[in-house]
Each structure stands twice: as structure tokens, then as C-alpha cells.
Amino acid sequence: MISANLSAVFYLVSGILFILALRGLSSPDTSRQGNYFGIAGMIIAIVVTFLSIGNFSNSLVYVIIFLLIGGSIGAFIAFKIPMTAMPELVAGFHSLVGLAAVFVAIAAFLNPEAFNLGFLGNIKLASLIEMSIGAAVGAITFSGSIIAFLKLRGIMSGSPIIFSGQHLLNLILGIGIFVLIFYLCKTQSANIFWTVVFISFLVGILLIIPIGGADMPVVISMLNSYSGWAAAGIGFTLENTALIITGALVGSSGAILSYIMCKAMNRSFVSVILGGFGADSSADEKKKNQDQKPVKSGNAEDAAFLMKNASSVIIVPGYGMAVAQAQHALREMVDKLKKNDIKVTYAIHPVAGRMPGHMNVLLAEANVPYDEVFELEDINNDFANSDVAFVIGANDVTNPVAKTDPKSPIFGMPVLDVEKCKSVLFVKRSLSPGYAGIDNELFYKDNTLMLFADAKKMTEDIVKNLD
Amino acid sequence: MEIDPFIFRLSIFILSIFVGYYVVWSVTPSLHTPLMSVTNAISSVIIVGAIIAALAGTSENVFETSSTFGFIAIILAAINIFGGFLVTHRMLQMYKKKKVKKK
């Protein structure tokens, strides 16, 4: 058994290691080392917890068994999960953090003596507030992440679910949670505690259902942030520095990512939360109006010819590429082009994919070196000097409407200046609009050649034609 | 007058938010997905609370209500810890520069 002071010092050390873990991610070179710092921090925190409790009953055996059960499940998932499914996985993991926070809070409420927080029915006021906030945020994270998971997985439709008085209801429930916590402090009643947890579950669901598929990158980042705040709330309850530091880190990390995502879509955080964006219903109508315009379409042969005669090609991948699993075929195509001394780079929009940085991971998986992949602001000026832009599975992020039409819902969103290229190859299954439900002007430009096909099949055909 | 320990914890909390703010802004956008999975893993340090709760059961009654919640929380957090760090590791292994290209 080690003293409380010594264990507090160790918790601080593990908190610092977590900071270093995030610091490592500033470049891919240091990132792997960063991950090891994180693992070291976790091991220290767990070992110190065992040592500080000291008097092991036979519970210890069970703790280790349960730890290993969870660990094996986690390891199994980590090795099996395809990289395209990362958004769902992260959403799923967020829900687990949330639920774990709820359960720890419940355990602390039922047995405050174990945590040195007072006695059942007479818990220290501050601890009671902290644990109920931790439980509430945890519950919101849990049910919200479940909804996000279902939407990303496609089990639930990505279109927003809206009913009248929705925001008022959320507001009332939100205020209700605070009122209940206030009464909980006065009465210490277990029933009120359970009600707080229950209402919070409900709020989590209600909060995420109105948010459409296009806004999912923001949702995941936001839930990431919530899971951090939940951990911090529990950290205050347990008076544990490692948890407080981690909670603050994760909370601000998620908040920054949400901000970056909102900025990349030119949407305010509030409007994302209020939801309703990316409704499927409005899409059909607009499509009808635009169907008449002439479109140039080509086949793999034309595309191969254009690219072979280019000196520089910029590839613009989007989520469609991931869905079609075309990243490996794409890489093959790029290899062929490079053999012909054609300069190839990749342009990635911040909201390409369903979560921040998703495209980068998919390209990395297909063995694309990360120094050939560029972010929007680094590459946008290059389009004007390039011969071919190869848009594969992306749509809204290339739409020039965002720059020209103030009435468009995506007006002001930073987009890739694809149309400035000498020619644009646009791989797409049909002319249907993207997630934002708006038509893409790019389809009808003179220098655009539409390649109507499945992204993977088209890329493979182009590869054949490049020989 | 003595300062409540809560204030110290609050100070740590607020300073950590600032540290997080600056550290996360320095994360390169191409690593935002690993950032999310690793933050996921480290926030599972909540397992320390779960362990305390689980070990609070007595030898005669290992699984009382409170400790059972602790045990379940251990499983949940452990899934996250192993899953989060391993999947991050798997992703980071894939980030390669031009020169070290193998295939």
C-alpha cells in the first residue's frame, strides 16, 4: 500500500504522459512514440490504483479477469475493424466511455465510503454535485454516441428526425436535470439520482437525432468532447488528477475538432446542434430542375488518355471512394501515372469522409506516402497550374456554388478550386446531389468529364487503359 | 483561511484545458482520426474509478450492487483502453514517408 500523496504524484505523472501522447501527434514521425507514452501513462494509473487500495480481497482476481475480458474484446475489435469503419468505431468507443462514467458515478453513489466521499444518504455536497454532473454528461455521451453509431453504420437513416417543439423539449429537459440535481443535493434521494441518469439518456438521444448525416464529423467531435467532460466530472468526484487532466485534454480536443469541422463547412456550432441539415426530401426536387442541362460524359479510355498526357494530376478523394473501397485501385493508378513522370498529389478537404482526418487514414492504409497528401489551404492554389483534377467520391467539397451563390446552403464553405484545373474528371455513379442535397455546378462545366461508374470499377478500368 | 482542495483541482483542470488547447492545435490535420482514437483510449483512465468501486466488495460478497457496477465499468473501460491504443497504433503504422515505402 502506498500513501495517498505518493499515488497523487504518480497520477500526475500519468497525466503528463497523456499530454505527451497528444503532443506526439503533431507529426507522423513522433506519433508512434506518443502512443507509447499514452500506454505507459495508462499502465502507471492502473498499477498505482491497485497499490493505493492495498488490501486485496479475492475481488482482485475478478478485477483482473474482467480487465482481461474487456481487453481481449478491445484488442479483437482493434485488429478486425476495417479502416473505412473508423467513424463508427470511434462513436462506439465514445459510448463506452460515457457508460463507464455513468457506472462509476452510480457505484460511487451507492457506496460512497469506498471512495471516501461520506456515507450513503449523507454524501459530501461537492462530491454529490460532481458525481451527478459526471453521470449526466456520461449518460448524454452514451446515448448520443449510440445514435451516432447507428446513423454512421447505416442501421438508422442519416436524415434528420425533426418534430415540433423539439428544441423546447430539450431545453426543458436540460433545465430539469439541473433542478433535479439541486433537489438531489437537498434530499440525497436515490430516486432523484436515477431520474437524472434516465433523463440524461433521453437528452442524448434527442440531441443527436435531428442532426443530419452531413454533419456527422461535427457530431463525432462533439461527443469526443463530451466524453472528456464526463471523465473530468468523475475525476473531480474521485479527486484524481490523472482523470481531471485527461478529461480536460479530451474535452478541449473534441471542442477544437468540432470547431475545425464547423469552420470547414462554414456552419455555426449552434446551427449544427439545432440540426435539420442535409434532408433527403429537398434533394429530389432540385434534381428535377437541373436534369435538363447538358453533361459531358466519358469512359475509362478517355480518362486514361487525358491523364497520360497530363504533366500534373491532383486527386480529390471523398467518402464515396471509401464506400467503394477504391483506395487501393486508386493507388495502383497513381503508381502507373508516376511511372510516366506525371506529378500526382492528393487534395483533402477537412470534412472529406465521415470524421476528421478520415481520408488521410484511408490513403495511408493504401500505402500512399503522407507527404503526397495535402490539406485544402496548402494545395488550393495548385489547381490553376494543374492539368487534371481527378475527383473520386467527393462532391459537395468541390462545388463552386459555395463561392458564387449566396443563396446556396453551403455558401461560404471553403471548397477545393477543382474547376480551375484544365480538365476535371469526376467519378460518380449518377448526377444525384451529395449529402448537402444540392446540385453541383461542376458537372455542367465545359472542362468537366463525368465518368459514370462505381469508383472502384472505374479506377480499375482506367488502370487497364493506362498500359 | 485555508484554501479548499477543490480549488486546487479546479486550477489543475483549467490549466489542463489550456494545455489541451495548445497541444491539440499543434496536431497535424492528417492525424485527426488517430487523435480521436487516442483521446478515446486515454479518457478510459476512468477505469481507476471502476477498479476502486469493484475492489470495495468484501470477500464474502464480491458482487454487491455497487461493486458490480464497478466490474461492468472495468469491462467497458478495458475495451476502450486496449481497443483505442491498438487501433491508434495500427493507424499510425500506416503513415509512411515516400522514402520508407515498402510495397
Side-chain angles (χ1 to χ4, degrees):
Chain A
M1 176 143 178
I2 56 176
S3 80
N5 286 331
L6 190 59
S7 54
V9 171
F10 277 117
Y11 283 134
L12 180 64
V13 171
S14 89
I16 291 168
L17 286 168
F18 291 152
I19 295 174
L20 293 176
L22 298 194
R23 184 75 188 90
L25 289 170
S26 57
S27 118
D29 296 327
T30 53
S31 60
R32 283 171 279 262
Q33 190 193 16
N35 200 34
Y36 295 129
F37 280 134
I39 295 171
M42 188 61 72
I43 294 172
I44 291 176
I46 293 175
V47 170
V48 167
T49 308
F50 280 128
L51 293 179
S52 64
I53 296 173
N55 61 330
F56 302 132
S57 54
N58 46 4
S59 307
L60 180 69
V61 186
Y62 291 99
V63 168
I64 290 172
I65 293 173
F66 279 75
L67 198 68
L68 292 178
I69 294 175
S72 333
I73 300 174
F76 180 78
I77 296 172
F79 285 117
K80 285 279 166 204
I81 194 90
M83 284 299 144
T84 38
M86 276 315 291
E88 295 100 289
L89 179 77
V90 168
F93 279 169
H94 286 155
S95 74
L96 297 181
V97 177
L99 195 60
V102 175
F103 283 178
V104 172
I106 292 175
F109 184 78
L110 294 176
N111 188 2
E113 285 164 74
F115 294 88
N116 207 6
L117 304 175
F119 303 93
L120 187 57
N122 186 19
I123 300 170
K124 278 190 282 182
L125 189 62
S127 310
L128 198 58
I129 298 172
E130 289 154 4
M131 74 172 76
S132 40
I133 291 176
V137 182
I140 292 172
T141 313
F142 169 69
S143 54
S145 300
I146 293 285
I147 300 294
F149 175 84
L150 294 176
K151 283 193 172 192
L152 287 163
R153 191 83 220 170
I155 299 170
M156 212 173 127
S157 154
S159 52
I161 299 170
I162 303 165
F163 53 88
S164 59
Q166 191 166 23
H167 304 310
L168 189 68
L169 178 67
N170 287 349
L171 189 69
I172 292 171
L173 289 176
I175 294 170
I177 291 174
F178 282 103
V179 173
L180 283 171
I181 291 178
F182 178 74
Y183 278 104
L184 175 66
C185 295
K186 281 184 115 174
T187 60
Q188 303 256 351
S189 148
N191 285 338
I192 296 184
F193 182 77
W194 293 115
T195 317
V196 168
V197 173
F198 177 77
I199 293 181
S200 305
F201 279 133
L202 207 62
V203 169
I205 296 172
L206 289 171
L207 212 53
I208 306 300
I209 53 169
I211 304 180
D215 286 335
M216 273 305 148
V218 183
V219 171
I220 302 192
S221 317
M222 189 177 83
L223 291 166
N224 186 234
S225 182
Y226 287 180
S227 70
W229 304 131
I234 302 297
F236 275 104
T237 319
L238 305 181
E239 309 183 345
N240 183 308
T241 7
L243 251 175
I244 294 175
I245 295 176
T246 315
L249 288 178
V250 178
S252 51
S253 160
I256 291 172
L257 289 176
S258 321
Y259 171 81
I260 294 174
M261 291 299 111
C262 285
K263 197 123 197 270
M265 295 194 289
N266 190 40
R267 314 219 322 106
S268 77
F269 190 67
V270 176
S271 72
V272 172
I273 298 291
L274 294 180
F277 191 68
D280 292 340
S281 53
S282 63
D284 301 323
E285 237 175 273
K286 279 177 190 158
K287 203 183 138 201
K288 269 178 216 149
N289 302 335
Q290 306 271 2
D291 258 356
Q292 317 302 330
K293 283 201 227 163
V295 170
K296 276 203 285 183
S297 81
N299 56 26
E301 222 174 301
D302 305 330
F305 178 78
L306 263 173
M307 282 198 272
K308 243 195 262 181
N309 292 304
S311 59
S312 56
V313 174
I314 298 179
I315 297 184
V316 181
Y319 188 63
M321 179 198 78
V323 173
Q325 295 282 348
Q327 59 270 37
H328 298 280
L330 184 70
R331 162 73 209 247
E332 232 181 287
M333 184 187 96
V334 171
D335 282 348
K336 287 242 161 101
L337 291 175
K338 278 199 219 153
K339 257 184 219 152
N340 292 331
D341 282 333
I342 299 165
K343 186 177 166 245
V344 186
T345 42
Y346 298 79
I348 296 195
H349 191 274
V351 292
R354 287 289 170 277
M355 74 183 292
H358 191 198
M359 276 306 125
N360 303 78
V361 173
L362 293 173
L363 292 177
E365 191 197 13
N367 280 317
V368 172
Y370 64 81
D371 37 9
E372 286 175 13
V373 182
F374 295 94
E375 302 299 318
L376 175 108
E377 58 268 29
D378 299 326
I379 199 165
N380 229 1
N381 293 329
D382 295 356
F383 282 107
N385 310 320
S386 293
D387 298 320
V388 177
F390 187 74
V391 183
I392 175 167
N395 186 359
D396 294 330
V397 297
T398 62
N399 198 339
V401 159
K403 288 177 285 190
T404 53
D405 181 9
K407 274 179 266 159
S408 164
I410 59 166
F411 181 70
M413 168 171 134
V415 288
L416 293 158
D417 298 333
V418 180
E419 76 281 0
K420 288 188 183 152
C421 264
K422 288 203 190 81
S423 44
V424 179
L425 294 170
F426 212 112
V427 185
K428 206 166 179 316
R429 259 176 296 193
S430 68
L431 278 180
S432 63
Y435 246 119
I438 42 169
D439 201 42
N440 194 340
E441 258 181 30
L442 199 60
F443 300 165
Y444 315 107
K445 294 244 170 176
D446 284 339
N447 59 344
T448 305
L449 188 66
M450 297 298 293
L451 306 168
F452 292 112
D454 172 73
K456 187 177 179 186
K457 189 155 181 315
M458 177 53 77
T459 318
E460 282 167 350
D461 287 348
I462 295 175
V463 172
K464 278 180 212 144
N465 279 295
L466 277 175
D467 290 323
Chain B
M1 211 181 120
E2 217 178 311
I3 300 170
D4 192 310
F6 172 78
I7 301 299
F8 286 116
R9 285 191 284 277
L10 191 68
S11 318
I12 293 173
F13 178 63
I14 290 172
L15 290 175
S16 303
I17 292 177
F18 277 91
V19 172
Y21 180 85
Y22 289 107
V23 169
V24 172
W25 271 117
S26 75
V27 171
T28 160
S30 69
L31 290 174
H32 275 160
T33 298
L35 170 69
M36 290 196 117
S37 60
V38 85
T39 49
N40 224 314
I42 62 173
S43 57
S44 305
V45 72
I46 202 157
I47 199 168
V48 301
I51 294 173
I52 297 172
L55 286 179
T58 52
S59 293
E60 301 82 56
N61 190 5
V62 175
F63 296 99
E64 40 158 335
T65 330
S66 152
S67 64
T68 308
F69 275 110
F71 279 114
I72 303 171
I74 288 181
I75 295 194
L76 298 176
I79 294 176
N80 248 318
I81 293 172
F82 283 73
F85 280 125
L86 287 172
V87 90
T88 309
H89 182 75
R90 213 181 115 195
M91 274 191 272
L92 295 177
Q93 286 301 335
M94 300 184 314
Y95 281 82
K96 290 189 185 100
K97 263 195 180 162
K98 226 180 271 174
K99 295 152 216 156
V100 260
K101 209 164 50 182
K102 273 178 197 160
K103 278 180 196 171

